[in-house]
Amino acid sequence: MVKQLDYHTMREIFTRFHAADPEPKGELDHVNAYTLVVAVALSAQSTDVGVNRATRELFKIADTPEKMLALGEEAVIEHIKTIGLYSNKAKNVIKLSRILVEEHGGVVPNSRAALEALPGVGRKTANVVLNMWWGMPTQAVDTHILRIGNRTGIAVGKDVVAIERAIEDHVPADFQHHAHHWLILHGRYVCKARKPMCSTCLIRDLCTFEDKNL
């Protein structure tokens, strides 16, 4: 396992990320907290592009849990059947919508525990919603961050929780809010799994990756 990068290197890395993209955004389309929860839950094992395509018309007619329940599971399936695991995801969308109506008055709760209690919502989804909608400095660790965290030395750990903790512990506080977005986008478009684009990487002189493709 590579060594965790030191404070000054971490600060330089995130200073560069910030300079290149001061306000990074998540790529899932949504119009409110509820549609964000649904979109992130649907994105498991699916691309953001695919989810956005599937929800484009769905969210026009069902942007609240009440409207989603009125629409019904079969209709939800028709909208999202182009994405992976659509049948189970449709069930979870209906279940979480019912819980929101019956237990939360139709309002999306803003604690991690309450969000994780919703069907189809795990820790990553909860962290995305808390970060993007309520501005909390939570770290949503996906496969991109797990990979590049260890590859670069930015966040070293054996699993998702360890990586999340490494980001919280080592990324300077003034960069915490956007940290997971910078890392996700870097892993998705630059530090790719099979062919990392080291020659155009803005932190290539700072990371610990030994097999740089320059």
Side-chain angles (χ1 to χ4, degrees):
M1 185 175 291
V2 301
K3 184 179 179 180
Q4 174 70 49
L5 293 174
D6 64 75
Y7 172 79
H8 296 290
T9 304
M10 292 287 285
R11 173 159 287 282
E12 177 60 23
I13 284 172
F14 283 91
T15 296
R16 293 184 190 182
F17 282 153
H18 178 269
D21 187 3
E23 294 289 332
K25 304 294 183 183
E27 297 183 319
L28 287 170
D29 295 336
H30 60 283
V31 296
N32 53 30
Y34 171 70
T35 54
L36 178 58
V37 170
V38 172
V40 181
L42 293 177
S43 70
Q45 300 183 48
S46 302
T47 66
D48 289 357
V49 172
V51 172
N52 289 340
R53 188 181 303 116
T55 59
R56 186 172 297 119
E57 296 303 318
L58 175 63
F59 289 163
K60 289 180 181 178
I61 58 177
D63 59 356
T64 68
E66 294 85 356
K67 291 178 182 177
M68 195 69 76
L69 289 174
L71 189 62
E73 184 177 323
E74 291 304 316
V76 174
I77 286 176
E78 283 302 308
H79 281 281
I80 69 169
K81 63 184 179 182
T82 55
I83 64 176
L85 306 174
Y86 64 87
S87 181
N88 190 56
K89 289 178 179 178
K91 286 183 173 64
N92 283 335
V93 167
I94 294 299
K95 288 179 181 177
L96 73 83
S97 298
R98 183 168 291 111
I99 291 173
L100 289 176
V101 170
E102 295 178 353
E103 299 183 15
H104 300 285
V107 178
V108 176
N110 61 354
S111 79
R112 183 185 288 119
L115 286 167
E116 286 191 71
L118 300 173
V121 177
R123 187 178 184 87
K124 187 192 81 169
T125 297
N127 281 344
V128 170
V129 175
L130 291 171
N131 180 280
M132 290 180 62
W133 195 257
W134 281 285
M136 291 178 64
T138 50
Q139 307 302 329
V141 178
D142 68 353
T143 55
H144 294 299
I145 295 180
L146 185 64
R147 179 183 72 253
I148 73 167
N150 285 298
R151 174 187 278 173
T152 64
I154 291 174
V156 178
K158 294 182 179 180
D159 54 37
V160 168
V161 175
I163 295 292
E164 182 180 329
R165 178 58 60 85
I167 296 171
E168 293 172 344
D169 287 350
H170 296 285
V171 173
D174 45 323
F175 297 118
Q176 286 276 334
H177 183 211
H178 293 310
H180 89 271
H181 282 308
W182 281 316
L183 293 174
I184 288 172
L185 294 172
H186 190 66
R188 184 176 292 170
Y189 298 112
V190 181
C191 196
K192 300 177 182 179
R194 294 185 179 180
K195 292 184 178 181
M197 300 167 64
C198 299
S199 62
T200 58
C201 175
L202 54 80
I203 63 166
R204 61 185 177 274
D205 58 318
L206 301 173
C207 90
T208 60
F209 186 42
E210 294 182 355
D211 191 21
K212 290 186 175 69
N213 179 24
L214 300 175

